[in-house]
Structures are given as structure tokens and as C-alpha cells.
């Protein structure tokens, strides 16, 4: 093949994307509660050891691109769209007005707002630092974002605590730091109750997001389970207003089973928001797009969520790869991520209604009919062949993943 000049490369990307086929229409994509973060669309390819590789894009372009792809909801950090110095000032409300107009013009809704409490120098000691003025500033920021959230019509607020942890041991008092962090969440919930009553809107769902390894060496709330314990610990004045935003990769990173973490959140009635992406165990936060690493696990995640009535947002919290083109971000990264999610969601429906899986599962649940359950030999004998069905179910789910249940023939 001859080298392809840059001015012909976009055409190649488009031709090969359409040759892939299987794309859903923007109208179909919009039927799912899929949310597009400002920071994912505007990610410029930078990281700790990486310079930026792409041009900056503002909210006008990000929202327009999501509309074209068919992502119906948008979410943002405060400082993604409002310069830090303007937060809480008149200039902020001018920007919020522009955002409202842009969303309306593109037919998108704002689903969620989140407060950046990790990037700026003010958070060097975390949002729950020793200095009272830092903690007052943290309260100001989360309260301000609750106001902005109501103004934009959001239903969810997310909190990733970022620097809540330490590099060197003994430097902070863990108990005190956690209580101080709770003070910020309490401030957000309390102002939310006031604003919601004035505006006759429901209060926001305040969702905590855990990440196990970054940006500190040791993290005080590293997992969704740790956050459940925190919510139930008595430090929150409104624990009923606070739930979880687990991120698939963040549970995988520490070596957990994302499905089990999600199940525990569901059991607690706290699975309110879900960041969808993919990656590897015991690695850093690679934020790869959904389904590119663990499609089988993802299929099973969606079976779990569909089976137990999860109806919150699926937030595309991935990082489009560190390419040099904004074109590819919108032509490949976002539409393919959305389409893999929808395909896996539909396949989860096939798993749930599959007659083979149903019969195998029903048979295991019915058991072998041992007359005396206190007789160990009888119990073992009665179920002798049934447990083999676990692997048959797993095989059937694999067949569904590769389309063999729909007649895709690969065996000779
Ligand atoms: C990450 C985090 C963030 C948060 C976001 C919400 O992967 O670094 O998931 O993307 O979701 O900061 O506050
Ligand atoms: Mn996330
Ligand atoms: Mn992540």
C-alpha cells in the first residue's frame, strides 16, 4: 500500500467506519440513558508523562458533536466550563446561560454536574485539608455546583474526592479528614434541600465515586464498598440523599469483580449512577472505551443491571485514545463506544430470555428433590449432574456474545 497523504486520511476513516457496518441511528442511540461528559469529549490526550496531542474543544462543540452522534445527555465538572476564578461570580451565570441555550439548540439535557476537587492548586491538601479556609472553599464549590445543577436541570451530582489520602504516613488524621470531607457533602445536601424546595424540583441524587490508586499513594475511600460504609457511618446529615457512582474500571483496578461491587451497591439501594469504560486489573486508570477489553464481563454486567431494574445513567467516562485528531474522536471513539454499549445491552436481553439458560437455571433452582436435607449423602446424590450446568450457561453466554445463538456458524 502507498503512503496515504493527510488530506485523504479522514475519507479513509469514514469509509472504513461505514464498511464496519452495524451502526445504530442517532435516534436509536438517544433512546438509552447514555450521558456524555464534557471532559471526555474535550480530552486533549495529556497525562502525567504525556503532552497534549489534540486541540482544545469548548462546550459548544462537545454538545454539538454529542447531538450528532445521538448522545442525549451531557454532564460536566464546574471548572471544565467555567474558569475557576469566575465560579460563583456573575460571569459564571453568563456562561450557564450560554450552556442552557446550547443544550436546547441541540436537543440535549444536562444529566449531572460534578465539582472538580482534585486538579487546582487549592486542592493540594485535598478538599478536606487541615486549613479551615480550604474546607470552607470546598463547601463553597460544592454548594455552587448544586445551584448550577438546578439551573441546568440536572438530576445527579457526582463527587470524586481526588486527593483524599496521603503520600507519607502519619501526616493526616484519617478520622478527622473523613469527618471534614463529610462536612462538604453535608453542605451540598443542605443547600440542595433549600434550593429544591424553592424551585419545586426534587433534590439531586448525590453520588460518590471511588478510585483505588490515584492521585494519592494511599486513598481513604478507595472502593465503592468503602463509600457505602462511609455513607452508613453516621457522619452524613442526609445519608438518604447520598449514593454511589461506581466506575467499572475503578472496581476492576483494585482486583475486585465489578459485577459483585455493583451487586452490593444495588443491595444497599445506592446504585444511582454508573461510569462505563474498560481496562485491566491492577493497572493505572487507563479509561478505555466500554467493551474493548472485557466484552464478556460487560455483557454479564448488563445482565445484572437489567435483571435488577437499574434505571440510572450510563456515563461514557472513558478517554478517547491519545491520537492526534479531533476528527477521529467524534467519528470513531464516541459512536463505536455507544454502539458497543447498545449491542451488549440488547444481548443482555437475549441472555435473559434464552430458553437454554432459563431451563438450566430453573433446573438448578429446583434441585434434585432430596427427601431429607439433613442427610449429606442424599443431598449430594440428588444434585449430582446439575452443577455441571454452570459451565453450560457460561458457554451459552459466550455463544450469545459471538452470535452463535442467532445462527452464526463457525464449527465445520
Ligand atoms: C477518573 C474519574 C473521573 C471522574 C470525574 C467525576 O477516571 O479519573 O473517573 O473521570 O469520574 O472526575 O468527578
Ligand atoms: Mn469516573
Ligand atoms: Mn477512571
Amino acid at each position: 500500500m502507498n503512503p496515504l497523504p493527510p488530506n485523504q486520511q479522514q475519507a479513509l476513516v469514514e469509509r472504513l467506519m461505514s464498511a464496519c457496518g452495524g451502526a445504530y441511528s442517532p435516534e436509536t442511540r438517544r433512546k438509552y440513558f447514555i450521558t456524555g461528559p464534557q471532559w471526555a469529549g474535550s480530552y486533549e490526550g495529556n497525562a502525567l508523562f504525556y503532552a497534549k496531542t489534540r486541540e482544545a474543544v469548548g462546550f459548544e462543540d462537545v454538545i454539538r458533536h454529542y447531538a450528532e452522534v445521538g448522545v442525549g445527555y451531557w454532564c460536566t465538572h464546574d471548572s471544565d466550563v467555567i474558569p475557576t476564578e469566575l465560579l460563583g461570580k456573575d460571569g459564571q451565570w453568563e456562561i450557564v446561560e450560554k450552556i442552557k441555550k446550547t443544550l436546547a439548540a441541540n436537543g440535549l439535557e444536562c444529566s449531572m454536574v460534578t465539582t472538580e476537587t482534585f486538579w487546582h492548586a487549592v486542592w493540594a491538601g485535598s478538599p478536606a485539608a487541615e486549613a479551615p479556609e480550604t474546607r470552607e472553599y470546598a463547601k463553597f464549590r460544592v454548594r455552587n455546583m448544586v445551584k448550577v445543577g438546578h439551573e441546568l436541570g440536572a438530576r445527579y451530582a457526582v463527587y470524586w474526592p481526588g486527593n483524599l489520602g496521603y503520600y507519607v504516613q502519619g501526616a493526616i488524621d484519617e478520622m478527622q479528614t473523613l469527618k471534614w470531607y463529610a462536612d462538604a457533602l453535608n453542605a451540598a445536601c443542605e443547600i440542595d434541600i433549600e434550593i429544591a424546595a424553592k424551585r419545586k424540583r426534587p433534590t439531586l441524587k448525590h453520588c460518590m465515586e471511588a478510585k483505588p490508586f490515584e492521585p494519592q499513594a494511599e486513598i481513604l475511600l478507595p472502593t465503592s464498598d468503602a463509600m457505602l460504609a462511609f455513607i452508613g457511618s453516621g457522619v452524613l446529615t442526609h445519608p438518604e440523599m447520598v449514593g454511589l457512582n461506581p466506575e467499572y474500571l475503578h472496581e476492576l483496578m483494585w482486583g475486585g469483580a465489578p459485577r459483585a461491587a455493583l451487586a452490593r451497591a444495588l443491595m444497599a439501594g445506592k446504585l444511582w449512577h454508573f461510569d462505563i469504560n474498560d481496562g485491566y486489573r491492577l493497572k493505572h486508570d487507563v479509561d478505555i472505551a466500554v467493551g474493548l477489553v472485557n466484552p464478556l464481563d460487560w455483557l454479564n454486567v448488563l445482565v445484572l443491571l437489567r435483571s435488577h431494574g437499574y434505571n440510572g445513567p450510563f456515563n461514557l467516562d472513558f478517554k478517547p485514545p491519545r491520537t492526534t485528531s479531533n476528527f477521529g474522536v467524534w467519528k470513531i471513539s464516541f459512536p463505536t463506544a455507544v454502539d458497543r454499549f447498545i449491542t451488549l445491552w440488547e444481548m443482555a436481553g437475549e441472555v435473559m430470555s434464552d430458553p437454554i439458560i432459563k431451563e438450566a437455571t430453573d433446573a438448578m433452582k429446583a434441585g434434585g428433590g432430596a427427601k431429607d436435607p439433613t442427610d449429606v449423602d442424599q443431598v449430594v446424590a440428588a444434585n449430582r449432574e446439575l452443577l455441571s450446568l454452570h459451565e453450560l450457561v457460561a458457554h451459552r453466554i459466550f455463544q450469545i456474545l459471538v452470535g452463535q445463538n442467532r445462527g452464526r456458524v463457525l464449527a465445520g
Side-chain angles (χ1 to χ4, degrees):
M1 206 184 210
N2 294 326
L4 195 65
N7 66 0
Q8 293 173 29
Q9 292 172 5
Q10 290 193 353
L12 176 75
V13 164
E14 293 208 277
R15 189 165 53 74
L16 293 182
M17 267 299 287
S18 98
C20 279
Y24 297 93
S25 68
E27 295 69 41
T28 300
R29 291 172 181 158
R30 272 181 187 252
K31 291 187 185 134
Y32 296 80
F33 197 174
I34 295 174
T35 65
Q38 173 64 26
W39 65 89
S42 63
Y43 172 56
E44 293 171 72
N46 50 301
L48 190 55
F49 298 105
Y50 286 161
K52 293 176 178 174
T53 55
R54 285 193 290 263
E55 290 147 40
V57 260
F59 65 82
E60 294 89 345
D61 285 330
V62 169
I63 290 169
R64 177 174 53 78
H65 282 301
Y66 279 140
E68 281 162 13
V69 171
V71 172
Y73 303 84
W74 173 85
C75 59
T76 191
H77 293 102
D78 47 4
S79 59
D80 291 341
V81 287
I82 304 161
T84 304
E85 325 71 73
L86 286 188
L87 287 164
K89 308 268 165 41
D90 290 347
Q92 155 178 301
W93 296 111
E94 289 163 26
I95 296 172
V96 169
E97 272 313 300
K98 281 192 200 139
I99 294 173
K100 279 168 70 175
K101 288 206 177 92
T102 311
L103 288 167
N106 287 282
L108 262 76
E109 287 175 40
C110 172
S111 55
M112 176 273 267
V113 292
T114 174
T115 311
E116 175 268 299
T117 55
F118 44 89
W119 178 256
H120 194 277
V122 72
W123 312 123
S126 95
E130 290 86 347
E133 54 271 27
T134 308
R135 287 181 276 115
E136 280 309 309
Y137 181 72
K139 286 185 202 159
F140 154 72
R141 285 283 292 266
V142 294
R143 284 190 188 115
N144 181 58
M145 214 41 189
V146 169
K147 287 182 204 157
V148 171
H150 277 288
E151 185 62 32
L152 290 175
R155 283 182 277 159
Y156 299 86
V158 162
Y159 304 86
W160 172 49
N163 274 336
L164 203 67
Y166 54 86
Y167 266 83
V168 287
Q169 297 180 25
I172 60 159
D173 175 338
E174 288 86 345
M175 292 276 286
Q176 181 66 76
T177 305
L178 288 171
K179 285 184 190 151
W180 279 336
Y181 188 65
D183 290 344
L185 287 177
N186 291 340
C189 290
E190 278 149 27
I191 201 153
D192 186 8
I193 293 170
E194 281 175 33
I195 298 174
K198 272 192 214 134
R199 288 178 165 256
K200 300 199 172 24
R201 292 190 80 225
T203 54
L204 305 179
K205 283 178 156 333
H206 298 257
C207 308
M208 301 180 71
E209 175 177 346
K211 173 150 75 165
F213 304 147
E214 298 170 315
Q216 292 282 14
E218 300 287 1
I219 305 284
L220 297 195
L221 296 171
T223 64
S224 292
D225 298 311
M227 285 177 164
L228 282 180
F230 175 80
I231 294 167
S233 70
V235 288
L236 295 180
T237 49
H238 291 284
E240 75 288 354
M241 293 172 70
V242 182
L244 294 181
N245 171 40
E247 177 171 311
Y248 176 87
L249 178 58
H250 295 177
E251 300 304 323
L252 194 69
M253 278 165 72
W254 61 267
R259 288 205 306 286
L262 291 166
R264 294 188 292 268
L266 280 167
M267 291 270 274
K270 294 294 193 185
L271 185 63
W272 295 351
H273 201 278
F274 183 27
D275 276 0
I276 63 171
N277 58 10
D278 214 336
Y280 305 90
R281 279 201 159 95
L282 303 174
K283 297 284 195 289
H284 66 286
D285 194 16
V286 290
D287 286 330
I288 293 169
V290 59
L292 286 181
V293 183
N294 297 292
L296 183 64
D297 194 48
W298 258 106
L299 173 54
N300 283 307
V301 162
L302 296 181
V303 172
L304 177 83
L305 298 190
R306 281 191 71 155
S307 308
H308 296 282
Y310 172 76
N311 61 6
F314 292 97
N315 187 35
L316 293 167
D317 191 12
F318 73 103
K319 293 201 167 47
R322 189 171 177 262
T323 61
T324 46
S325 166
N326 292 53
F327 182 79
V329 166
W330 299 107
K331 285 291 168 198
I332 300 179
S333 294
F334 280 100
T336 58
V338 169
D339 287 354
R340 282 190 306 281
F341 171 82
I342 297 175
T343 299
L344 289 163
W345 178 265
E346 296 306 325
M347 280 182 183
E350 291 184 358
V351 170
M352 288 161 68
S353 61
D354 185 75
I356 298 169
I357 293 175
K358 186 167 184 331
E359 194 173 341
T361 307
D362 286 349
M364 286 187 284
K365 286 184 189 160
K371 291 274 169 311
D372 180 3
T374 66
D375 179 338
V376 65
D377 292 336
Q378 250 195 61
V379 173
V380 172
N383 285 276
R384 188 161 315 279
E385 307 303 330
L386 291 177
L387 271 184
S388 307
L389 296 173
H390 273 161
E391 200 170 348
L392 186 143
V393 168
H395 176 67
R396 185 68 183 154
I397 294 172
F398 171 86
Q399 286 191 318
I400 290 172
L401 184 70
V402 299
Q404 285 175 305
N405 64 317
R406 288 168 164 269
R408 181 177 183 207
V409 180
L410 292 163

